Amino acid sequence: MPSQASGPPGSSGSPASFAAADPAAATAESVESARRRTAWAEGLDRLRAAATTEPGRLRAIGAVLALLVVVFGAATAWQVTDRSAAADDVVLRSQPLTVDAASIFRSLADADTTAAGGFLAGGTESAATRQRYEADLATASQLLVRAAASAQVPGAADGAADRTGKQIARLNALLPRYTGLIETARTNNRQGLPLGGAYLRYANGLMRTELLPAAQALYEAETERLAADQARATAWPWCALVAGVVALGALGWAQRRHYRRTNRVLNRGLLVATVASVAVLLWLTVGHAVARAGLIDAYEHGTRSLQALNTARIDALRARADENLTLVARGAVLTADQKDFYEVDFQTKMGHLAGAAGAGPVSAAGELGKALALVDDEAGRQAVRDAVAAAGQWRTRHAAARAADDRGAYDQALAQVIGGSGSTGASFDRVDTGLGRALVHEQARFRATADGGRAALSLLAAGAAVLAAGAATAAVLGVGRRLSEYR
């Protein structure tokens, strides 16, 4: 029995069956496929022609030269802009904020020293002493506000900004406690109550164990930020330099190829592109070298000397506070080996400031000696020398005051510490004044040197972009002039 068809007559499930059933459709599909293959083949032929014919090679060379020169200009503009911004941060933000952080430390230490001196004067505390104490606290508060604002600046190092914020919050919380203790000590002292000395010692303990360490941590965080900005500003722009060398190498190769194929010595377009690229590379190298040298010199002979001077000034302030508290406590606070705590700490601070006792008024080990070695300008050195001489005088007068106190002549010792021109206080004031003059001088030198360095980068980014655009245009025109010979 014959089988029945499973579909319409003349149809089946295979492509061949559909092709046999519809010859017109098959022909159309074959033509469309041939067209697609022809377009692809034409594209391959054009690429092959570009690779094997001289006009095609010239077009590729022109495109590559223009790209390399543009990349060189873009890399130069990008890296110079970054270095210039970092140099601005060094001069306008991080270095001034480092100075502010040191000033916060100094203001707090000076407030503590002034409060102890006023306490010793008792009811005869002068208005100038009170005003100095209040001015120190006002200065510290204002600088804390400025430091808090700087911690939110975009681009600041996250770690340094976090530490800055924590220390500022800590200082803001502790400062009211300290001022409250000082006011309580003054009130008791005016009433003749011995409890005032205990409050003053407690306030001093809060200052030396809480406030000053927080201020030191703030200073270190700002110093770290300054170092990061300094490193970024002085780093060589290697990407731009390498791109420039590659672009010049390609331009040199293209001109040599042009000479060998045409026996023509110069191609004006390629020559202009080469000269412009050389100008950008030289400007980049020399400009960055000058800026880098200026910023490094500002750091070596400005930042480092400022750090030594700030450390010396703080040591002097803390030594003066210990000297005052020696008379306030009168042996009530002792070390583990039963020595006067404040006298031992005074000698330690004076050792940091002026070197070991018996080594002369100042030695290379002391902060004054370090500052004298780092300050290489005569005006600044003279200010430090004045502080050195006053530190030696201070040490001698302090020994005399301690001898008077040890033999029971408290009033004589008190006069030798907080008296007039012959007192240790007068010597301390000369040390502080000399260091203050040196700090102002070194800060001005830092700013002048750093400004001179960063000025070398001022027009480089824009100039490099313009010259690179001109070089790329000249390279394309130079290759185009050669291509016109084939038309």
Side-chain angles (χ1 to χ4, degrees):
M1 185 175 180
S3 61
Q4 296 181 355
S6 59
S11 70
S12 71
S14 68
S17 301
F18 284 110
D22 193 353
T27 302
E29 182 180 354
S30 176
V31 171
E32 182 63 25
S33 176
R35 286 177 180 173
R36 285 199 299 269
R37 285 196 302 271
T38 302
W40 175 252
E42 286 182 1
L44 290 177
D45 290 342
R46 289 176 183 175
L47 289 175
R48 191 177 298 109
T52 57
T53 65
E54 185 61 13
R57 292 194 190 100
L58 287 174
R59 292 188 184 93
I61 290 171
V64 170
L65 290 177
L67 177 63
L68 289 176
V69 173
V70 168
V71 168
F72 172 39
T76 300
W78 161 55
Q79 292 203 297
V80 168
T81 300
D82 179 69
R83 302 305 187 271
S84 182
D88 289 344
D89 285 343
V90 167
V91 176
L92 303 176
R93 182 175 63 89
S94 52
Q95 197 276 335
L97 288 171
T98 302
V99 174
D100 285 350
S103 296
I104 291 171
F105 195 117
R106 182 207 167 273
S107 296
L108 293 174
D110 190 64
D112 193 53
T113 300
T114 305
F119 186 92
L120 284 175
T124 62
E125 179 183 10
S126 66
T129 300
R130 180 73 181 185
Q131 289 171 0
R132 178 171 176 172
Y133 168 80
E134 292 175 349
D136 283 332
L137 294 180
T139 299
S141 298
Q142 291 170 1
L143 294 178
L144 283 171
V145 171
R146 187 187 304 176
S150 76
Q152 308 303 321
V153 172
D158 291 339
D162 289 344
R163 286 193 296 278
T164 295
K166 289 178 182 178
Q167 300 310 324
I168 290 171
R170 186 180 174 193
L171 287 166
N172 284 329
L174 292 171
L175 199 54
R177 288 175 53 193
Y178 171 81
T179 56
L181 289 169
I182 291 295
E183 291 308 316
T184 303
R186 279 179 170 151
T187 300
N188 282 275
N189 192 41
R190 283 194 296 268
Q191 295 174 358
L193 300 175
L195 194 59
Y199 274 106
L200 183 68
R201 292 195 301 273
Y202 186 56
N204 175 263
L206 182 65
M207 177 64 73
R208 71 170 62 231
T209 60
E210 297 285 346
L211 282 159
L212 291 182
Q216 178 68 27
L218 175 62
Y219 175 73
E220 290 172 355
E222 295 297 344
T223 301
E224 179 183 329
R225 185 182 300 188
L226 171 60
D229 289 339
Q230 175 83 12
R232 188 162 58 95
T234 56
W236 281 100
W238 290 115
C239 289
L241 292 172
V242 170
V245 171
V246 171
L248 283 174
L251 286 167
W253 172 84
Q255 290 177 88
R256 182 173 180 272
R257 181 181 184 279
H258 174 75
Y259 169 72
R260 293 182 64 184
R261 289 179 176 269
T262 65
N263 206 29
R264 295 169 184 169
V265 177
L266 298 176
N267 178 291
R268 293 179 182 177
L270 295 179
L271 180 62
V272 169
T274 302
V275 170
S277 298
V278 168
V280 173
L281 187 60
L282 287 177
W283 192 359
L284 171 64
T285 304
V286 175
H288 183 77
V290 170
R292 188 172 187 271
L295 291 169
I296 290 176
D297 185 59
Y299 176 80
E300 293 293 334
H301 301 288
T303 302
R304 291 181 61 197
S305 61
L306 286 168
Q307 290 171 349
L309 289 166
N310 278 315
T311 302
R313 201 176 193 189
I314 289 166
D315 281 339
L317 286 164
R318 298 182 73 178
R320 178 61 179 169
D322 286 328
E323 184 176 50
N324 290 335
L325 285 164
T326 300
L327 294 177
V328 172
R330 305 190 69 179
V333 183
L334 302 176
T335 63
D337 53 356
Q338 300 302 301
K339 293 181 180 179
D340 188 296
F341 174 83
Y342 295 111
E343 175 62 18
V344 170
D345 206 47
F346 170 84
Q347 295 298 339
T348 300
K349 296 298 186 297
M350 285 299 292
H352 291 163
L353 175 67
V362 65
S363 71
E367 291 298 328
L368 285 174
K370 294 178 183 177
L372 196 59
L374 290 169
V375 176
D376 55 2
D377 176 81
E378 186 55 32
R381 289 177 67 85
Q382 185 56 51
V384 180
R385 289 193 195 101
D386 292 343
V388 168
Q393 184 187 65
W394 181 9
R395 186 174 256 167
T396 302
R397 290 177 175 178
H398 175 81
R402 291 307 308 144
D405 190 35
D406 289 342
R407 65 175 180 264
Y410 177 79
D411 290 340
Q412 181 183 352
L414 184 63
Q416 289 175 326
V417 170
I418 65 170
S421 60
S423 67
T424 61
S427 298
F428 160 74
D429 286 340
R430 284 194 287 273
V431 171
D432 191 65
T433 300
L435 291 174
R437 282 167 39 217
L439 280 165
V440 171
H441 179 78
E442 287 300 291
Q443 180 64 30
R445 285 199 67 210
F446 168 86
R447 183 60 187 266
T449 306
D451 280 343
R454 70 189 183 115
L457 299 175
S458 58
L459 299 175
L460 180 51
V466 171
L467 287 174
T473 303
V476 171
L477 292 176
V479 172
R481 179 71 181 86
R482 179 80 176 89
L483 273 171
S484 66
E485 298 173 359
Y486 288 89
R487 295 169 186 168

